[in-house]
Amino acid sequence: MASRIRLLQLIIFLYFFKQIVSKVEFTNIKCTSLDPEFASFDYCFLKSVNRTYKYLSLKVKLLKKPVTKVKVNFAFLKKYNGYKPSLFNVTVDACKLLKNPKSNPVAAYIHSFFKSYSNMNDSCTFNHDLIVDKVSIDSVNTKATAVLPVPHGDYMFHSNWFAYDINRATVNVYGTLS
Ligand SMILES: *[C@@H]1O[C@H](CO)[C@@H](O)[C@H](O)[C@H]1NC(C)=O
Ligand SMILES: *[C@@H]1O[C@H](CO)[C@@H](O)[C@H](O)[C@H]1NC(C)=O
Ligand SMILES: *[C@@H]1O[C@H](CO)[C@@H](O)[C@H](O)[C@H]1NC(C)=O
């Protein structure tokens, strides 16, 4: 009897463990400048070096430097029939966030995915091109799978980049969780 209960516990544990330890894959990335006189993408791509090493990189050229007022809107959407209501939808003042990450824990968490791969990390006077360099799928997996309480499926990470309250660019990253 006791061993049956233990077996049952093990099965339940493995079931939940399997749910939690899921795997993120990138499937696509799309960067769009909505105002080519303000910002343009030099590149924006996913690369598979081999089966285990995949990364994304992008570079934005800012054409009206310096830029001192930036807001970012992030949403995370699951695909059903098209991409439907977002699991979260946060807009954050990038300058405040860089000064005080604790002011918005969700945005700080999202920033943590690319912060150490990017030069958008210290202050909010952007007087240089913006680079996100080789964010590996492994690093995303390590961060995401520990906490993601979301069902398996196809997802889109959607972001709008506002400068002076005008939406200048969008970056969408598509992926699957399995
Ligand atoms: C994949 O590529 C990376 C970077 O070049 C390398 O360090 C790693 O050993 C490669 N893995 C396999 C399985 O070939
Ligand atoms: C996020 O919220 C804003 C403001 O409520 C809304 O305009 C926008 O469409 C939402 N984005 C997504 C992807 O749901
Ligand atoms: C910010 O990014 C630059 C360039 O990638 C890097 O040299 C620097 O150490 C980073 N600073 C912080 C606080 O992460």
Side-chain angles (χ1 to χ4, degrees):
M1 189 65 196
S3 69
R4 267 200 199 169
I5 289 173
R6 245 175 278 135
L7 181 63
L8 193 62
Q9 280 171 343
L10 181 66
I11 290 168
I12 290 170
F13 173 77
L14 287 176
Y15 177 76
F16 283 104
F17 193 72
K18 193 163 173 289
Q19 293 276 300
I20 294 164
V21 182
S22 34
K23 194 161 150 23
V24 183
E25 273 295 347
F26 297 140
T27 53
N28 202 358
I29 181 169
K30 275 191 196 145
C31 301
T32 310
S33 171
L34 304 175
D35 183 353
E37 286 175 16
F38 191 90
S40 71
F41 288 92
D42 271 6
Y43 53 80
C44 166
F45 63 87
L46 287 182
K47 185 168 169 75
S48 293
V49 175
N50 54 38
R51 275 172 60 93
T52 51
Y53 185 42
K54 292 182 189 170
Y55 64 77
L56 68 81
S57 289
L58 62 90
K59 178 173 177 184
V60 186
K61 212 175 222 124
L62 295 178
L63 303 168
K64 302 210 170 133
K65 293 179 274 196
V67 179
T68 54
K69 194 174 174 215
V70 178
K71 269 189 202 157
V72 190
N73 165 251
F74 301 103
F76 191 58
L77 298 94
K78 186 169 184 348
K79 190 174 186 179
Y80 296 103
N81 278 316
Y83 289 91
K84 286 287 162 55
S86 49
L87 301 174
F88 64 80
N89 180 352
V90 186
T91 300
V92 63
D93 181 322
C95 304
K96 280 188 194 148
L97 185 74
L98 288 169
K99 254 187 229 140
N100 180 13
K102 285 184 186 136
S103 64
N104 190 327
V106 174
Y109 174 68
I110 292 164
H111 188 206
S112 75
F113 279 91
F114 63 90
K115 188 176 171 177
S116 54
Y117 300 90
S118 126
N119 61 356
M120 287 175 269
N121 61 0
D122 38 19
S123 80
C124 194
T125 299
F126 297 118
N127 52 14
H128 49 70
D129 296 340
L130 304 178
I131 294 172
V132 175
D133 191 40
K134 297 183 183 161
V135 177
S136 75
I137 192 66
D138 268 358
S139 71
V140 170
N141 264 304
T142 306
K143 280 213 164 64
T145 53
V147 296
L148 271 183
V150 297
H152 297 173
D154 295 333
Y155 289 88
M156 166 168 64
F157 175 78
H158 176 71
S159 61
N160 294 309
W161 296 77
F162 296 81
Y164 310 106
D165 293 319
I166 297 169
N167 195 359
R168 311 287 182 162
T170 64
V171 175
N172 293 343
V173 179
Y174 300 82
T176 59
L177 208 70
S178 57

